[in-house]
Amino acid sequence: MESARRPLVSQLWVKNRRNEAVLDPERPALSWKELQPKSGRGLCLARVLHRARGLIGRLTEQYPSVCHSVPISEIIAVETEQKRYNSDTWQKFNHHAFTVHYAQRAQKHCWRCSAVTFWCKDEELCHQWIQAIKKLLELQTSRPKHLLVYINPYGGKQQGKQIYEQKVAPLFSLASITTDVIVTERANHAKDDLFEVNLEKYDGVISVGGDGMFSEVMHGLIGRMQKDSSIDQNNPSAPLAPCNLRIGIIPAGSTDCICYATVGINDPVTSALHIIIGDLQHMDVCSVHHNNTFLKYSVSLLGYGFYGDVLKDSEKNRWMGPTRYDFSGFKTFLSHHYYEGTVSFQQANQTLGSPRDKSTCQSGCYICKQSTQEVEEKRKRHHYNLEETEDDGDWKVIRGKFMAINAANMSCACPRSPKGLSPAAHLAAGTIDLILVRRCSRLNFLRHLVRHKNQDDQFDLAFVEVYRVKTFLFTPKHSENEDTDNKDVRKKHFNQICNGNHSSCGCNHVNSIWNCDGEALDHAAVEVRVHCQLIKLFARGIEEDSKP
Ligand SMILES: CCCCCCCCCCCCC/C=C/[C@@H](O)[C@H](COP(=O)(O)O)NC(=O)CCCCC
Ligand SMILES: Nc1ncnc2c1ncn2[C@@H]1O[C@H](COP(=O)(O)OP(=O)(O)O)[C@@H](O)[C@H]1O
Ligand SMILES: [Ca+2]
């Protein structure tokens, strides 16, 4: 037992160079460093180069040689090396080599799978190393072994299947992860399936697609969990049962905001590596109700007005792929509609930070960590039927004319807006950033949109307000008849005078629609509340020290 804790130290060869390799179960990490050749053994070109390197190293303070170190948690697999090297090396080491595959940070939050081959003088040493690494890998209990994968072949550039097969499946197989793969045949296929399948045999569910596909998987898992726990999703104030299965996202959609905002990049290989090493990121979920009827859950953007109109228009042009959003975004900007309504909300406690904070939510965020403790205590109190102590403030009511009402449950960072609509929003603090963009000129609205792209303060504009809230209500001015949906309202008001394109009638749109993670909601009047850390992802949030 004692020997298992002691570091394994050996001289192994990497690319024909002698290295000292150390496997330290206490750190726990694998490290290797090139050893300097002993002096006085005659000069050869390699040694001259080596000395020159040493001199340069001294000058640049890197001497004697770079020490490579890989945490065990980032090792993907260890394999006995098969005969694929030139025969000289192969003969020299008598066929004994092993390869360690590990996750390596590349640029801008991008990870790649790297490999290093260690050559050993004898078979026993090689075997000892492989076994020691395998033993440490077995201790990584948060890693998934069996996954359920849903691929949306229809989203984004319709490349979901190819992306999975070419970039992700080989990595899963290298990491000995087994999978059941389902290529969806229709919308809601994944969601419906998740209500039926035996989830016990899986360690996670993977969504290959965009935010809409993620949304399906999430609805399936949350819905299934509530059904199994006899919780009525139509009750807006019911505390929801959290989902234990983690969801992984392989980005293959049009915006991929949920992936980008939780990993830092929309890259299928990076996401696959986060899944393999068993990362964990809690995430808040908003529930959206209309008249005590459950509509949908949201994790990224719930947008009324501008983003609702962009969505509505863009769905007509799906054939354009992701470019449809730019085309519809431009059209919607030109149409310049505003909408009247009332927003009521309860502001969240100041300890949960402010949307105007300069610091952002990062891997290991202390505000989210604090919420983890609170949410656990809250769930315990609920389990033992103890009284709740809510410390939220008074309701604030704002009636007005809005270009956009955006509820960001996370930063909503994505390639189109690298910092997102609310850069300081948290992934798991149990809050939503409610952004109200009041009626303004075209030029001012353009100034607001441009700030999604640049470094300027998004909220430092006279017609933009932002509040950190836990719950909010929106009632459009034209929703007196509570039972009518958007289509009915439009028909009722404009059937005789407006043909729908609004260029000839001179009217403004009556109601917009809600864009809920890229899916349209059927009602404009909504009640939204956030459920702190309801789901878990195979991600770790945005890392601070990524290579620039
Ligand atoms: C002149 C400069 C204009 C710059 C405008 C840039 C606006 C970028 C905003 C990005 C918001 C992202 C919020 C994410 C929402 C997604 O959940 C949703 C669905 O994603 P997916 O299913 O993967 O396509 N995406 C959208 O609603 C797209 C909004 C794009 C609007 C231009
Ligand atoms: N096989 C399928 N055929 C048609 N639609 C599908 C299929 N599978 C999933 N969908 C639906 O496709 C829509 C778009 O998917 P999404 O992943 O959001 O792609 P995008 O990012 O391009 O919008 C979602 O509403 C999802 O429910
Ligand atoms: Ca979508």
Side-chain angles (χ1 to χ4, degrees):
M1 194 62 197
E2 205 16 58
S3 69
R5 313 289 323 158
R6 258 189 260 132
L8 177 59
V9 185
S10 310
Q11 281 195 14
L12 304 175
W13 294 71
V14 179
K15 289 185 188 157
N16 265 335
R17 291 192 178 277
R18 204 156 48 98
N19 273 250
E20 182 182 73
V22 180
L23 184 66
D24 187 350
E26 292 290 341
R27 276 178 56 204
L30 163 70
S31 45
W32 65 98
K33 189 171 90 176
E34 195 181 320
L35 294 169
Q36 300 302 305
K38 286 189 187 114
S39 58
R41 280 203 283 140
L43 279 179
C44 69
L45 182 62
R47 202 157 294 132
V48 170
L49 286 175
H50 195 93
R51 287 204 181 136
R53 243 177 17 153
L55 187 64
I56 294 166
R58 261 196 296 274
L59 293 173
T60 57
E61 292 178 14
Q62 283 173 358
Y63 188 78
S65 65
V66 182
C67 179
H68 304 267
S69 185
V70 179
I72 300 299
S73 60
E74 292 175 13
I75 291 182
I76 307 301
V78 56
E79 284 184 319
T80 309
E81 193 48 55
Q82 302 301 322
K83 189 174 179 175
R84 63 181 166 92
Y85 283 84
N86 72 57
S87 53
D88 281 355
T89 323
W90 194 253
Q91 293 305 326
K92 184 173 162 192
F93 292 97
N94 217 1
H95 306 197
H96 307 304
F98 65 93
T99 297
V100 176
H101 301 266
Y102 59 97
Q104 192 176 37
R105 282 159 185 78
Q107 287 178 337
K108 293 184 180 167
H109 307 287
C110 180
W111 285 18
R112 283 290 167 260
C113 187
S114 269
V116 54
T117 298
F118 295 96
W119 297 86
C120 316
K121 284 279 187 202
D122 66 77
E123 188 179 2
E124 206 192 307
L125 185 64
C126 191
H127 182 74
Q128 192 188 359
W129 268 86
I130 294 173
Q131 289 315 309
I133 296 174
K134 280 193 171 162
K135 225 178 206 169
L136 290 179
L137 287 182
E138 275 161 23
L139 296 177
Q140 305 293 308
T141 48
S142 65
R143 293 190 176 200
K145 291 187 173 68
H146 192 44
L147 294 170
L148 175 57
V149 180
Y150 290 103
I151 302 176
N152 177 357
Y154 165 83
K157 294 179 183 160
Q158 308 195 330
Q159 292 292 303
K161 201 161 170 286
Q162 290 86 328
I163 288 174
Y164 180 76
E165 282 166 2
Q166 290 162 19
K167 299 190 171 182
V168 179
L171 287 173
F172 282 176
S173 136
L174 177 68
S176 305
I177 293 175
T178 53
T179 50
D180 288 334
V181 179
I182 297 169
V183 179
T184 60
E185 287 163 11
R186 57 177 172 84
N188 290 325
H189 181 164
K191 181 183 135 195
D192 296 345
D193 201 50
L194 281 163
F195 274 86
E196 308 296 330
V197 290
N198 172 13
L199 291 174
E200 272 170 21
K201 59 179 178 168
Y202 298 110
D203 302 310
V205 183
I206 308 302
S207 157
V208 184
D211 292 348
M213 190 59 192
F214 173 87
S215 172
E216 267 203 39
V217 168
M218 171 181 77
H219 278 82
L221 281 177
I222 300 180
R224 171 76 178 270
M225 196 65 208
Q226 310 319 307
K227 189 177 152 219
D228 293 352
S229 317
S230 307
I231 294 171
D232 178 11
Q233 292 188 98
N234 286 322
N235 175 1
S237 52
L240 299 178
C243 294
N244 288 323
L245 273 188
R246 277 169 291 174
I247 310 177
I249 311 172
I250 302 296
S254 300
T255 313
D256 298 320
C257 163
I258 304 162
C259 177
Y260 195 100
T262 55
V263 174
I265 191 166
N266 54 334
D267 172 61
V269 170
T270 306
S271 290
L273 294 171
H274 282 283
I275 294 168
I276 290 169
I277 68 171
D279 266 347
L280 167 67
Q281 173 67 53
H282 288 98
M283 205 160 66
D284 300 336
V285 176
C286 294
S287 59
V288 189
H289 288 79
H290 167 82
N291 277 351
N292 290 322
T293 305
F294 169 69
L295 296 182
K296 261 193 191 318
Y297 295 113
S298 165
V299 282
S300 65
L301 172 70
L302 249 178
Y304 186 83
F306 183 74
Y307 287 106
D309 295 349
V310 171
L311 174 72
K312 190 161 186 254
D313 189 73
S314 68
E315 279 302 312
K316 294 179 223 153
N317 297 311
R318 237 186 199 279
W319 59 270
M320 289 185 190
T323 316
R324 71 189 186 278
Y325 287 135
D326 305 307
F327 178 68
S328 299
F330 185 62
K331 270 176 76 184
T332 308
F333 168 74
L334 290 181
S335 66
H336 198 65
H337 291 297
Y338 68 86
Y339 301 94
E340 282 194 76
T342 306
V343 189
S344 331
F345 56 87
Q346 239 182 338
Q347 265 177 283
N349 191 314
Q350 292 291 302
T351 56
L352 297 169
S354 146
R356 307 292 297 267
D357 286 342
K358 289 286 166 263
S359 56
T360 58
C361 178
Q362 290 184 328
S363 227
C365 167
Y366 77 95
I367 292 186
C368 294
K369 263 191 193 156
Q370 199 176 308
S371 296
T372 309
Q373 286 171 3
E374 280 165 22
V375 89
E376 273 163 16
E377 279 161 24
K378 201 171 173 182
R379 278 176 192 149
K380 257 188 229 156
R381 279 201 302 272
H382 180 252
H383 183 78
Y384 294 110
N385 284 327
L386 297 174
E387 226 171 274
E388 281 304 327
T389 48
E390 286 294 343
D391 58 350
D392 293 318
D394 296 338
W395 282 83
K396 193 173 165 86
V397 180
I398 297 180
R399 185 184 289 261
K401 295 174 178 159
F402 305 99
M403 307 298 299
I405 296 168
N406 296 329
N409 184 54
M410 51 163 68
S411 69
C412 293
C414 61
R416 279 190 181 80
S417 173
K419 292 207 175 290
L421 300 194
S422 191
H426 287 271
L427 290 172
T431 56
I432 322 165
D433 287 352
L434 182 62
I435 306 160
L436 307 178
V437 186
R438 303 246 192 189
R439 184 184 178 186
C440 61
S441 68
R442 264 200 189 83
L443 181 64
N444 271 338
F445 195 63
L446 182 64
R447 284 172 66 207
H448 160 69
L449 288 181
V450 167
R451 289 193 184 196
H452 292 345
K453 294 228 169 230
N454 65 24
Q455 303 287 325
D456 294 348
D457 184 346
Q458 308 243 2
F459 310 121
D460 188 21
L461 291 168
F463 52 94
V464 179
E465 288 153 56
V466 61
Y467 304 92
R468 187 153 282 179
V469 308
K470 289 194 166 201
T471 177
F472 74 90
L473 305 172
F474 174 69
T475 317
K477 192 176 171 201
H478 296 276
S479 81
E480 280 78 34
N481 181 352
E482 290 292 300
D483 291 331
T484 52
D485 66 11
N486 286 312
K487 268 187 249 146
D488 292 340
V489 170
R490 268 169 214 208
K491 256 191 212 154
K492 198 170 97 185
H493 288 266
F494 291 113
N495 229 10
Q496 290 99 35
I497 54 167
C498 174
N499 63 13
N501 73 15
H502 307 281
S503 54
S504 52
C505 64
C507 73
N508 210 319
H509 281 201
V510 177
N511 285 341
S512 175
I513 59 163
W514 281 99
N515 172 341
C516 175
D517 297 356
E519 305 288 313
L521 294 186
D522 289 338
H523 294 274
V526 292
E527 172 176 353
V528 180
R529 70 179 63 204
V530 66
H531 299 262
C532 189
Q533 305 192 357
L534 192 65
I535 58 170
K536 294 174 188 167
L537 299 190
F538 284 108
R540 58 170 61 177
I542 312 296
E543 282 189 315
E544 191 179 13
D545 297 318
S546 181
K547 292 184 184 173

